[in-house]
Amino acid sequence: MSRDRAAMPPPLDRLVVIDGQDRLTVGKDLSIQVGKKLRIEAGDSLELVVGQASLLMKKDGSIVIKGRRLSFEASEAVDVKASGDVVLKGGKIAEN
C-alpha cells in the first residue's frame, strides 16, 4: 500500500457539505442514536431551547443555563471550581 493511501482516513458512510445555510423542520419527533460518540461543533454559539428552558454556550467559553427551576443531581460528588468568585443569590440559601 502506498504511503498516501495509508495516511487517508477510513471512508465515510455519509458526508454532507453545505456551503450556505440549512434548516431541518420536523413536525413531530426527531431521534438521533449514536453508537459511541456525538460531537456538535459550532463557530459562535450553540443553543438548546425547550419551552422556557435554555442552554446557551458561546465561543468565549461562557455558558448560560436558564429555567424556571434548576436541579442538580449526582450519585457521587459535585465539584465546583472557579478562578474567580462563586456567587449564590436567592431568597434563602440552605446548607446541610
Side-chain angles (χ1 to χ4, degrees):
M1 186 181 294
S2 72
R3 179 181 293 192
D4 292 337
R5 181 84 172 141
M8 293 178 58
L12 300 172
D13 291 331
R14 177 179 173 203
L15 173 63
V16 177
V17 177
I18 300 167
D19 290 328
Q21 295 183 5
D22 187 27
R23 172 179 275 179
L24 171 65
T25 301
V26 179
K28 295 267 183 174
D29 299 335
L30 173 65
S31 296
I32 299 172
Q33 183 173 351
V34 178
K36 290 195 176 192
K37 179 180 173 183
L38 173 64
R39 177 184 172 119
I40 300 172
E41 188 171 335
D44 292 329
S45 66
L46 174 65
E47 185 173 19
L48 301 175
V49 179
V50 179
Q52 296 177 340
S54 67
L55 167 66
L56 175 62
M57 295 182 282
K58 299 178 183 179
K59 71 178 181 180
D60 66 1
S62 61
I63 299 173
V64 179
I65 301 172
K66 291 183 181 179
R68 192 179 56 80
R69 180 181 171 94
L70 299 179
S71 298
F72 298 93
E73 296 182 18
S75 60
E76 295 186 15
V78 174
D79 296 324
V80 177
K81 295 179 184 179
S83 59
D85 295 339
V86 175
V87 179
L88 299 174
K89 293 181 181 180
K92 182 179 180 181
I93 299 174
E95 294 183 53
N96 49 319

